[in-house]
Amino acid sequence: MSEQTGNDPSTTGGRPTPVGSAVAAAELPPPAAALRGVSKIFGATRALTNMTVVLRPGRVTALVGENGAGKSTCVKTLSGLYKPDGGHVELGGEEVALTSPLDARARGIAVVSQHPSLFGDLSLAENIFAGQELRTARGILDHGAMRTRAKVLLQQVGLDHDPATPASRLSTSEHQMLEIAKALAVESRILILDEPTATLSSGEVDRLFAVIDDLRARGVAMLFVGHRLEEIFHIADDLVIMRDGQLVHTCLTSELTPDETINYMVGRELGDLYPDRAGTPGDVVLEVSGLSTVTGLEDVSLQVRAGEVVGLAGLVGSGRTELARVIFGIDRATSGTIELDGRQIRPTSSAEAMSYGIAYVSEDRRGQSVIEDFDILENSTLPVIAKATRHGLIARARQLSLISEPLKKMSLKFASYGQAVRTLSGGNQQKVVIAKWLATNPRLLILDEPTQGIDVGAKAEVHRLVADLAAQGIGVLMISSDLPEVLGMSDRVLVMRSGRLVAEFGRDEASEESIARAATGAGEAQSSRPEGAGPALAAEETPGLLTLLMQRRELGLLAVLIAVSVIATVVNSNFLTYTNLSRLAAEASLVGIVALGQFLVILTRNIDVSVASTIGLAAFIFGDLVRDGTPLLVAALLTLVLGLVLGLVNGLVVAYGNVPSIVVTLGTLYVYRGIDAILSNGDQISPGTIPAGFAEFVESKPLGIPMLTVIFLVLAVVLAAALTWTAAGRQFFQVGSNPEGARAIGLNVERKLLAAFVTCGILAALAGVLWATHYGAVDGQTAYGEELRIIAAVVVGGVALRGGRGTVLGVALGTLVLFTLYNALTLARVDPLAIQAFYGAAIILAVAFDSVLSRRSAQQKTVI
């Protein structure tokens, strides 16, 4: 077998091509896409050197190599994220310059990322069509068509969910299948699958491969990046092997064996992937008895002995991770006991579990195990940072002494301890995670998918390390969806299904078939729920009134509004008079106009605490202009321009200066208020300054409804329609839900942030104009402190402070609830200063309520 420089048989770099490949090449279709001699340099690091990869219609090309070999750089170059420093990209045989991922998508290239970039707050249908929304003949979003098409695509990848379901309700593995549905939606000619099976169960992998076979039949060219060689040799037609950023071999998959492929990847003899293990397990380290939880575990009992590796197998959602989280103190047990070294424990936090000698390597490396912007040393010493301190200060020398040996054992590839973890490959990130926990000298080590997404060389190193730890007397509980890994590493295998332990096998009894049968319940009477869905919870039952109110924030707000109104009427019968209600509606509408702008800002994961200062400055400027004889319309337009400028200042610093919005707008709150104080200099715009005709218009009540309320309703309807029926409107939700995901589909996140702040500034200025007209008297203290009421209205209205979720209706109801409460307390003669405490409490309760909903949603992931 000859080594080649490219998998295009017509370009072999002057070296002889194997006869089998040459014969096959004559029958192959022309390339659909290719990297030709591509080089990529990052500072002093050469990520790719003269790399060539060719993709052909109707064929799957597998790209393999160790972590750090350059596979991800190839993917990002072909998907338009990186521009080559040498060589070029070809599409259909023609050289092209991909300017962005959006450009690549427009040219028919779709990517299923290793780390899904989904919008958790948006529906499955919106996720599938994000950036490529379907529209009606009128140009507005066609939500019905997207839901209909999404249902077909979801079924195609094996997801039996309502397209209206929020993506946050899906499990990690289902996120990957949703990414694949997104790629299918664009009917791409070129599909890049970057570690698509890393989080999938065996059944989901089978469904994925069925989809790939269908796409192959349609003539789609596919690049499959993966580490599981058994999958590579099952699905791929062609093989491209990389090492250290260079191509080392390419051929038909049928021309190599897995062992030969490994030798090309690592450049050395790897030895056994699963080390020989001998020795007799010692005393019981962990004993779990009759453990049950609200997350779905039912009467789970197991033992792990010193020096023993216990494999925990089962389908995704069977309860494996839930069990680990309870043992490590993240979740709580409702019944049952946990004993460590014969002592009963009930850890209530991960810190407490660590103090007992328990370590837990989570399956979610990026989300729960590393802080990507921290360096290697900081990440590695997080659990033992107290041991590295002297007189309350961290001593770097002590940090190094704690972690250098564990990192050395992991054979970590890194430039320095100060290197950010996000710059490491997935395999090296996992080594940092494991080294971090080794530094705690645990008695029990829980490994949840320890080799997920890492290459075969790193897998062998992890396996050897686990064997060494067991030989030192540490008990190991290893959760894995990789059945060969479970069989190769475990002394005993436990199998979970639907929250229960259903089978136990000794090392000599276990087989892939026996484990799979136990995990799926093959041959047993099955329930109507899908496999791996976990036990049914109360959340699946028909929701009661309380549950319905919690699921629909607007209904809850309406109920609160009615309750407050009834109480207010009982306390003071004047509450229901027309005079009181119209005044309440007008004042609520005035603040509600600004709350609409604040809603947009918070929707994008920001906040604007300068809005009240903008109102006050705009009100005085407007009144002063009119008083000096400026025509009313000109004065109003100039005031709105002022609001635009003030919002623009906030937005530019936040979006392009990358300064936290709370810092920026807290500063401009005082700047704008100071300018107002300087300009007013104790002066006051007196009642009667605003022209009578305009004042009468603002104070009019068509059909008995205050004009301020009419203006608010018009603005609210326009904003709601824009956010619901236009792609530009939905992009605010996308940016707030997942900024990086928004960038991945080609959105200019900075422009959306700028648009939100500018809109907020304009609406605050409009409120200033109306404020001056409604109240008449304006001075340097106008709207002082109103920012609290505006923010409270938005938060109480159900807009998530973390961004991405909320409705205009919720903001309207939240504003009305707060003003109704204020009105009721005023009628009850409560001190106005004390009412501020009610607003603060309302914000705290609203955020706490949102946290409860988020936790409930997270718990539902295992049963949906």
Side-chain angles (χ1 to χ4, degrees):
M1 184 175 298
S2 302
E3 192 171 292
Q4 302 170 47
T5 60
N7 66 328
D8 182 357
S10 65
T11 306
T12 61
R15 300 187 181 189
T17 303
V19 173
S21 294
V23 172
E27 303 170 358
L28 295 177
L35 298 179
R36 297 286 190 187
V38 168
S39 297
K40 186 65 184 176
I41 301 172
F42 299 97
T45 303
R46 182 173 285 271
L48 294 179
T49 302
N50 194 30
M51 185 66 194
T52 295
V53 182
V54 177
L55 308 182
R56 298 178 181 278
R59 295 181 71 81
V60 178
T61 298
L63 183 63
V64 298
E66 291 188 275
N67 286 110
K71 303 185 302 297
S72 294
T73 306
C74 287
V75 168
K76 291 174 181 177
T77 303
L78 190 55
S79 62
L81 190 61
Y82 292 162
K83 295 179 181 179
D85 295 317
H88 61 270
V89 178
E90 287 183 5
L91 292 179
E94 296 182 2
E95 181 178 340
V96 297
L98 300 176
T99 58
S100 67
L102 190 62
D103 181 27
R105 288 178 61 186
R107 295 174 184 267
I109 301 174
V111 180
V112 176
S113 174
Q114 178 180 357
H115 303 292
S117 298
L118 302 176
F119 305 107
D121 299 292
L122 303 187
S123 70
L124 302 184
E126 284 194 273
N127 270 273
I128 289 174
F129 292 99
Q132 55 197 13
E133 293 84 0
L134 303 181
R135 291 175 170 81
T136 67
R138 297 179 180 177
I140 63 174
L141 298 185
D142 194 338
H143 291 288
M146 286 191 281
R147 284 193 294 268
T148 301
R149 175 65 177 146
K151 188 172 185 64
V152 174
L153 293 169
L154 291 171
Q155 291 174 343
Q156 191 172 345
V157 298
L159 289 179
D160 186 19
H161 290 291
D162 186 335
T165 303
S168 60
R169 296 285 187 88
L170 303 188
S171 67
T172 302
S173 63
E174 289 175 324
H175 284 171
Q176 197 71 57
M177 302 306 288
L178 181 58
E179 279 280 5
I180 295 166
K182 286 174 58 178
L184 296 179
V186 298
E187 299 182 353
S188 305
R189 296 179 295 107
I190 299 149
L191 178 62
I192 301 172
L193 299 153
D194 188 7
E195 293 283 359
T197 64
T199 61
L200 303 186
S201 66
S202 57
E204 290 166 330
V205 170
D206 290 340
R207 285 198 295 270
L208 170 61
F209 284 178
V211 172
I212 291 175
D213 285 335
D214 180 55
L215 294 174
R216 188 179 356 227
R218 295 189 208 172
V220 176
M222 286 169 277
L223 179 66
F224 189 103
V225 182
H227 291 303
R228 298 177 180 174
L229 292 184
E230 66 274 15
E231 295 174 354
I232 296 291
F233 277 81
H234 175 76
I235 198 65
D237 303 293
D238 306 306
L239 197 59
V240 178
I241 306 172
M242 296 184 67
R243 186 172 68 244
D244 298 328
Q246 301 182 59
L247 177 66
V248 295
H249 195 78
T250 181
C251 61
L252 302 178
T253 307
S254 59
E255 294 179 344
L256 282 185
T257 66
D259 287 342
E260 290 171 331
T261 302
I262 291 172
N263 289 340
Y264 275 114
M265 288 169 54
V266 301
R268 63 188 186 278
E269 291 293 332
L270 184 62
D272 291 333
L273 186 59
Y274 305 108
D276 292 331
R277 299 184 53 242
T280 303
D283 296 333
V284 174
V285 173
L286 172 72
E287 181 158 8
V288 174
S289 301
L291 203 66
S292 298
T293 69
V294 295
T295 56
L297 297 182
E298 295 184 45
D299 195 27
V300 175
S301 299
L302 60 85
Q303 289 184 342
V304 179
R305 296 180 175 273
E308 181 182 34
V309 178
V310 175
L312 193 58
L315 300 175
V316 173
S318 61
R320 303 171 306 169
T321 297
E322 289 76 9
L323 176 60
R325 289 171 61 88
V326 173
I327 296 172
F328 196 58
I330 299 173
D331 295 331
R332 306 287 180 271
T334 54
S335 62
T337 61
I338 302 172
E339 291 186 5
L340 195 71
D341 288 324
R343 180 175 61 141
Q344 184 169 326
I345 63 173
R346 186 177 286 271
T348 57
S349 67
S350 55
E352 187 177 348
M354 288 164 53
S355 70
Y356 293 134
I358 303 174
Y360 172 45
V361 177
S362 167
E363 65 172 336
D364 184 3
R365 179 172 65 237
R366 299 183 74 194
Q368 300 179 17
S369 295
V370 296
I371 302 175
E372 292 188 320
D373 288 330
F374 279 21
D375 63 34
I376 293 171
L377 189 60
E378 291 171 318
N379 270 283
S380 301
T381 54
L382 279 173
V384 291
I385 195 64
K387 297 180 181 180
T389 58
R390 176 182 295 175
H391 307 304
L393 299 176
I394 298 173
R396 185 176 178 82
R398 290 192 176 191
Q399 282 184 291
L400 290 170
S401 66
L402 288 169
I403 203 63
S404 57
E405 189 60 29
L407 287 176
K408 184 177 179 181
K409 287 182 179 179
M410 294 306 303
S411 301
L412 183 70
K413 297 178 182 178
F414 64 107
S416 70
Y417 288 110
Q419 182 178 353
V421 165
R422 60 180 165 76
T423 65
L424 298 176
S425 65
N428 283 313
Q429 286 185 8
Q430 186 72 342
K431 291 178 182 180
V432 171
V433 172
I434 296 175
K436 173 180 73 174
W437 290 111
L438 293 185
T440 67
N441 296 313
R443 286 288 294 134
L444 173 70
L445 177 62
I446 304 173
L447 300 168
D448 195 350
E449 304 288 3
T451 62
Q452 176 177 285
I454 65 176
D455 62 73
V456 67
K459 276 187 179 182
E461 292 171 358
V462 170
H463 292 158
R464 281 195 294 272
L465 180 63
V466 171
D468 289 344
L469 294 173
Q472 296 169 25
I474 295 176
V476 179
L477 181 62
M478 185 183 73
I479 301 168
S480 179
S481 299
D482 187 343
L483 289 185
E485 180 173 68
V486 171
L487 294 170
M489 289 300 299
S490 304
D491 297 297
R492 285 185 296 126
V493 179
L494 307 178
V495 184
M496 294 194 71
R497 184 176 74 247
S498 299
R500 292 177 174 270
L501 277 175
V502 294
E504 178 178 340
F505 303 100
R507 187 180 184 91
D508 297 332
E509 304 171 305
S511 67
E512 290 196 31
E513 181 182 0
S514 61
I515 294 173
R517 288 177 64 85
T520 60
E524 300 179 15
Q526 298 293 300
S527 70
S528 60
R529 289 179 292 110
E531 293 176 355
L537 299 182
E540 293 181 320
E541 299 171 359
T542 301
L545 178 60
L546 181 60
T547 301
L548 187 62
L549 292 179
M550 290 185 70
Q551 290 175 345
R552 294 296 302 175
R553 179 74 70 95
E554 292 85 355
L555 291 177
L557 286 170
L558 189 58
V560 171
L561 181 62
I562 293 172
V564 171
S565 299
V566 169
I567 294 172
T569 303
V570 171
V571 172
N572 192 324
S573 59
N574 288 327
F575 175 80
L576 285 181
T577 62
Y578 173 76
T579 300
N580 182 64
L581 291 179
S582 63
R583 182 175 66 251
L584 187 159
E587 293 177 348
S589 299
L590 193 56
V591 169
I593 290 170
V594 192
L596 294 177
Q598 188 74 260
F599 166 42
L600 273 186
V601 172
I602 294 180
L603 198 59
T604 62
R605 295 193 177 190
N606 290 282
I607 195 167
D608 186 352
V609 297
S610 70
V611 286
S613 297
T614 301
I615 295 172
L617 181 56
F620 184 83
I621 291 291
F622 174 70
D624 194 42
L625 287 171
V626 172
R627 184 174 59 181
D628 289 344
T630 305
L632 179 68
L633 181 59
V634 174
L637 289 176
L638 288 175
T639 305
L640 294 182
V641 170
L642 171 68
L644 183 152
V645 172
L646 299 184
L648 189 65
V649 170
N650 287 337
L652 286 173
V653 180
V654 172
Y656 295 96
N658 201 28
V659 181
S661 60
I662 184 65
V663 175
V664 174
T665 59
L666 188 60
T668 54
L669 178 153
Y670 291 106
V671 171
Y672 300 162
R673 181 66 69 185
I675 294 173
D676 191 12
I678 293 171
L679 292 177
S680 61
N681 194 26
D683 188 15
Q684 184 182 64
I685 306 298
S686 303
T689 300
I690 307 301
F694 184 63
E696 290 173 1
F697 169 76
V698 170
E699 295 301 305
S700 65
K701 296 175 182 177
L703 301 177
I705 303 173
M707 178 56 69
L708 288 174
T709 301
V710 173
I711 294 172
F712 167 74
L713 290 176
V714 170
L715 291 172
V717 169
V718 170
L719 181 61
L723 291 176
T724 303
W725 300 105
T726 70
R730 300 310 296 171
Q731 287 168 3
F732 285 103
F733 291 91
Q734 293 165 358
V735 167
S737 183
N738 184 350
E740 292 308 312
R743 286 190 174 91
I745 64 171
L747 292 188
N748 189 316
V749 172
E750 288 72 25
R751 288 183 183 176
K752 299 307 292 188
L753 299 184
L754 195 60
F757 278 100
V758 167
T759 303
C760 188
I762 293 173
L763 289 177
L766 173 62
V769 170
L770 298 174
W771 190 293
T773 306
H774 177 70
Y775 291 109
V778 177
D779 57 25
Q781 297 299 309
T782 296
Y784 186 85
E786 285 296 318
E787 60 275 342
L788 176 62
R789 185 147 55 173
I790 293 164
I791 293 170
V794 177
V795 175
V796 169
V799 182
L801 285 174
R802 59 177 175 76
R805 191 182 74 235
T807 65
V808 170
L809 177 59
V811 172
L813 287 172
T815 305
L816 192 55
V817 164
L818 285 182
F819 270 84
T820 301
L821 178 63
Y822 179 85
N823 186 262
L825 293 173
T826 301
L827 290 175
R829 306 192 180 201
V830 175
D831 189 329
L833 293 177
I835 296 177
Q836 299 296 315
F838 283 96
Y839 285 152
I843 293 176
I844 293 172
L845 289 173
V847 173
F849 187 76
D850 189 65
S851 297
V852 170
L853 290 181
S854 297
R855 284 198 298 272
R856 286 170 62 90
S857 178
Q859 291 173 0
Q860 290 174 2
K861 286 183 182 182
T862 61
V863 297
I864 291 178

